[in-house]
Amino acid sequence: LIDFDPERAKQMLERFTDYLRAGLGQLRGESGTLAQEFEMLEAYLGLMQLRMGERLKVELRLPAELSGIELPPLLAQPLVENAVHHGIEPQIAGGTVSVCARRVDGRLWIEVADDGQGLDGPKRRAGNGMALGNIRARLEARFGPSARLELLPRDGGGTLARLQIPLPANTP
């Protein structure tokens, strides 16, 4: 890329630096905020957009009142990686990855949706589900059985990964 499109290579390096900065900051602690998680996702997806071009569309929705909620770092990031790698990349036309946070019945829902090939689509590489198992183990360790990760098929194609985390009673 440096030889053929130096300006794009520069943008990609800047995005990669943003991604590393966001990730390293989160890995230093046992908790981060939802705003920090979304900052990491934005940096990663920006990097993927530079690589994939117009084939990757992104939607991020974080209501301001949820941005300060604490959670273990990098919970949603592997789900976004899976959405890009397994859902969107295999499609010639690409697609959209959408990440949203919302409050539902005293719980925080973080949803990662894609309009890619779906759960039943052909696998690009043999996955061992390690990232999903890791997320489930981290949820169990921090929140017990009241937190969960669901993988669901989307109507019209694609996958929805939903993290459900209990909110503290004093959360505004």
Side-chain angles (χ1 to χ4, degrees):
L1 193 59
I2 289 170
D3 292 335
F4 301 105
D5 192 344
E7 185 56 36
R8 191 164 161 226
K10 180 182 173 193
Q11 289 175 338
M12 195 162 219
L13 182 58
E14 289 169 356
R15 290 286 185 155
F16 186 63
T17 301
D18 292 343
Y19 175 66
L20 289 176
R21 188 176 297 118
L24 290 174
Q26 281 205 12
L27 289 174
R28 289 188 187 118
E30 290 184 27
S31 284
T33 64
L34 195 51
Q36 290 170 318
E37 184 82 10
F38 268 70
E39 181 182 327
M40 179 71 178
L41 298 176
E42 184 175 15
Y44 172 77
L45 288 166
L47 187 59
M48 293 299 99
Q49 281 182 306
L50 276 172
R51 188 169 66 78
M52 294 176 64
E54 293 183 16
R55 293 183 56 232
L56 177 60
K57 293 164 191 60
V58 172
E59 298 171 357
L60 296 171
R61 293 187 305 278
L62 173 60
E65 66 270 14
L66 301 178
S67 63
I69 292 174
E70 288 192 13
L71 67 158
L74 304 174
L75 274 181
Q77 208 275 340
L79 301 175
V80 170
E81 278 187 43
N82 283 349
V84 171
H85 184 76
H86 297 292
I88 303 302
E89 274 187 330
Q91 298 190 133
I92 293 171
T96 301
V97 173
S98 172
V99 185
C100 73
R102 57 190 174 121
R103 179 193 324 258
V104 178
D105 298 327
R107 301 171 69 75
L108 171 65
W109 283 17
I110 303 171
E111 296 179 316
V112 177
D114 69 70
D115 57 3
Q117 63 181 4
L119 294 170
D120 295 331
K123 303 297 180 220
R124 295 187 62 204
R125 66 171 190 242
N128 56 12
M130 195 168 181
L132 301 178
N134 184 347
I135 292 170
R136 287 186 172 107
R138 292 173 64 212
L139 288 172
E140 173 73 24
R142 178 80 174 259
F143 302 105
S146 60
R148 67 177 169 257
L149 165 62
E150 300 174 301
L151 292 180
L152 307 164
R154 290 183 67 208
D155 291 339
T159 303
L160 171 67
R162 179 183 296 140
L163 292 165
Q164 294 186 38
I165 300 169
L167 289 171
N170 62 351
T171 303

